[in-house]
Amino acid sequence: MKLSQRVKNLKPSVGFELLKMAQQMKSQGDDVISLAIGELQGKTYPAIRAAGQKAIEEGYTKYSPSAGQEALRKKLAEQASQQFSIPFSAENVFVSNGCKYVLYVVFQSLCETGDEVLLPAPYWMSYPPVIAFSGADLKIVPTQAKQNFKITAEELEKNINSKTKVFLLNSPNNPTSAIYTEEELKALGEVLRRNPHVMTLVDAIYDRLVFSGKYAPHLLNVCPDLKDRVLAVNGASKNYLMTGWRLGWLIGSKELAQVFSAFQSQTVSCANSMAQRAFEQAFEQCEEDIKETIQKLKTVRDILTEGLKDISGLKLFPSEGAFYLWLGVTSFIGKTHKGKRLNSSKDIMEKLLKDKKLLCICGEEFGRPGYLRLSYVAEESAIRKAVVRLQEFFSDLT
Ligand code: PLP
């Protein structure tokens, strides 16, 4: 069977490959600590679990309207109106099966061959394949360590041209956990105002998992006038521990929400009906659970950063939200571990797994070699063990 070029170019998701590898190693008896996957370990919050069970009993087991259930769209619109102080209604909302599929629908609907999508690097590794499926060219904009890997207004302006269709902004960021400040967003907004042909997609899927404030600052907070050229993408996976429920959405112009919904009606039809119903009360009923999650994350983040901060040559970047720690390891490249020369951050990742049974993801996967991403979603005891393994590993390098 001759496969399509589109699919031949596709690499399977690294996150899912690593998850499989960690599970295999564990089942063979290896004491693997996985700091690789972007998924919190706890269960979905009790109120949502109960609402999900009820939803099945109530009969939310059928197709829903392709744009999403009206009651949920209303809730999402109300929440967005409050968060951004912009009046949105249900018609501004498009609901789908996870944020990843929202992104797929957006790029399929907006982009084609000849268009460019601007993506600051490092970036979440699923963005490039989703953009490639649309035929658009990816224009990767490297960011600077001294800016905590956030694109500046100058860098954005320099990279926009007449072909630029979409600018993709992710804050809180995966893999760096950096959060754009209101000032930084305002400066980006000024550039976007001068370039009305550019649509900005803001992926804020970690916006509740922040260590200061209720929400991470958003472009729509500081530039409400751009609302018709911003697609505010979000989802239930990370903030509400609902990765397997597959629920994501976007807030945008009514016209585009309709286009996306038509695309969805001819592909996956609609989002998971039970998940939509279960999520209706999430904003009201999960505040205490979220607070507890953030507190736990803060504790493990502090254990990890405290344990690693004195390793000579290791560069730690501030983890302001989500659950990632971004480490600079360039000073170890060229060193040797137990007789093997480490030529890249990928070599370091592989050696950590082989010799220390510690799984993390190298910067190469995020478009930025020389770094490692640690996902601190493990239990406190596992994080303490991980610290010891990392200290041993880096001090053994010669
Ligand atoms: N956006 C970012 C930045 C992510 O890190 C992830 C998952 O890792 C997603 C989107 C995907 O979210 P969902 O589970 O809603 O598809």
Side-chain angles (χ1 to χ4, degrees), residues 98-100 124 127 170 174 203 205-206 237-238 246-247:
C99 181
K100 204 187 242 184
W124 176 45
Y127 292 140
N170 172 216
N174 178 4
D203 177 352
I205 194 160
Y206 299 94
S237 285
K238 315 289 177 171
R246 309 309 301 131
L247 189 65

Side-chain angles (χ1 to χ4, degrees), residues 38-39 97-103 124-127 170-174 203-206 233-238 242-244 246-249 323-324 373:
E39 181 177 54
N97 289 297
C99 181
K100 204 187 242 184
Y101 198 72
V102 173
L103 297 172
W124 176 45
M125 65 263 260
S126 285
Y127 292 140
N170 172 216
S171 175
N173 185 269
N174 178 4
D203 177 352
I205 194 160
Y206 299 94
V233 177
N234 212 318
S237 285
K238 315 289 177 171
M242 290 178 70
T243 43
R246 309 309 301 131
L247 189 65
W249 58 87
F323 34 69
Y324 303 115
R373 187 195 78 176

Side-chain angles (χ1 to χ4, degrees), residues 364-385:
E364 283 85 341
E365 298 297 338
F366 306 101
R368 191 69 185 235
Y371 296 83
L372 297 178
R373 187 195 78 176
L374 305 185
S375 180
Y376 50 86
V377 291
E379 292 300 324
E380 212 179 298
S381 56
I383 295 285
R384 288 187 194 280
K385 268 205 227 169

Side-chain angles (χ1 to χ4, degrees), residues 110-380:
L110 297 187
C111 296
E112 58 198 343
T113 308
D115 293 332
E116 279 185 7
V117 175
L118 282 192
L119 178 64
Y123 48 73
W124 176 45
M125 65 263 260
S126 285
Y127 292 140
V130 172
I131 294 164
F133 268 139
S134 74
D137 288 326
L138 184 60
K139 188 161 184 188
I140 292 172
V141 185
T143 56
Q144 302 168 58
K146 68 171 194 284
Q147 302 288 349
N148 277 341
F149 305 96
K150 294 185 269 190
I151 188 170
T152 62
E154 295 72 41
E155 288 164 341
L156 176 63
E157 185 125 56
K158 227 173 43 204
N159 282 282
I160 290 179
N161 61 39
S162 58
K163 291 192 213 154
T164 311
K165 195 74 184 272
V166 178
F167 164 49
L168 206 171
L169 183 67
N170 172 216
S171 175
N173 185 269
N174 178 4
T176 65
S177 270
I179 298 179
Y180 285 74
T181 63
E182 291 202 344
E183 286 314 306
E184 290 163 341
L185 293 168
K186 262 187 211 158
L188 296 177
E190 275 170 31
V191 176
L192 295 167
R193 261 184 216 116
R194 288 197 286 277
N195 291 280
H197 63 295
V198 178
M199 178 65 79
T200 301
L201 193 157
V202 182
D203 177 352
I205 194 160
Y206 299 94
D207 67 349
R208 295 299 315 272
L209 303 179
V210 294
F211 302 120
S212 65
K214 185 170 172 186
Y215 287 94
H218 197 283
L219 184 63
L220 286 180
N221 291 128
V222 291
C223 303
D225 56 304
L226 291 177
K227 70 175 174 21
D228 290 333
R229 290 201 286 118
V230 170
L231 298 170
V233 177
N234 212 318
S237 285
K238 315 289 177 171
N239 292 337
Y240 295 88
L241 283 66
M242 290 178 70
T243 43
W245 297 67
R246 309 309 301 131
L247 189 65
W249 58 87
L250 68 72
I251 314 287
S253 74
K254 292 181 184 175
E255 294 72 26
L256 284 177
Q258 247 180 24
V259 171
F260 301 147
S261 143
F263 185 93
Q264 175 147 282
S265 74
Q266 294 292 18
T267 52
V268 294
S269 301
C270 60
N272 174 335
S273 296
M274 292 144 255
Q276 292 188 65
R277 173 66 169 165
F279 195 72
E280 264 175 48
Q281 303 305 321
F283 296 123
E284 281 112 60
Q285 298 189 353
C286 300
E287 284 307 297
E288 285 310 308
D289 301 294
I290 292 179
K291 268 193 206 149
E292 215 177 283
T293 297
I294 293 170
Q295 196 45 52
K296 276 193 199 150
L297 283 174
K298 193 166 179 306
T299 305
V300 286
R301 177 199 66 170
D302 292 347
I303 294 170
L304 193 58
T305 49
E306 197 48 38
L308 303 184
K309 77 177 189 339
D310 294 329
I311 297 178
S312 167
L314 191 66
K315 179 101 183 72
L316 270 64
F317 292 89
S319 177
E320 300 174 301
F323 34 69
Y324 303 115
L325 183 64
W326 185 240
L327 298 176
V329 293
T330 41
S331 68
F332 300 103
I333 293 171
K335 295 203 173 195
T336 304
H337 189 260
K338 297 195 177 147
K340 180 171 180 335
R341 194 184 136 91
L342 304 171
N343 291 317
S344 61
S345 41
K346 185 161 187 277
D347 280 357
I348 296 178
M349 171 186 84
E350 287 172 359
K351 213 57 179 131
L352 271 168
L353 181 59
K354 189 159 177 275
D355 293 355
K356 291 289 171 194
K357 305 283 178 259
L358 188 115
L359 189 58
C360 60
I361 305 187
C362 58
E364 283 85 341
E365 298 297 338
F366 306 101
R368 191 69 185 235
Y371 296 83
L372 297 178
R373 187 195 78 176
L374 305 185
S375 180
Y376 50 86
V377 291
E379 292 300 324
E380 212 179 298

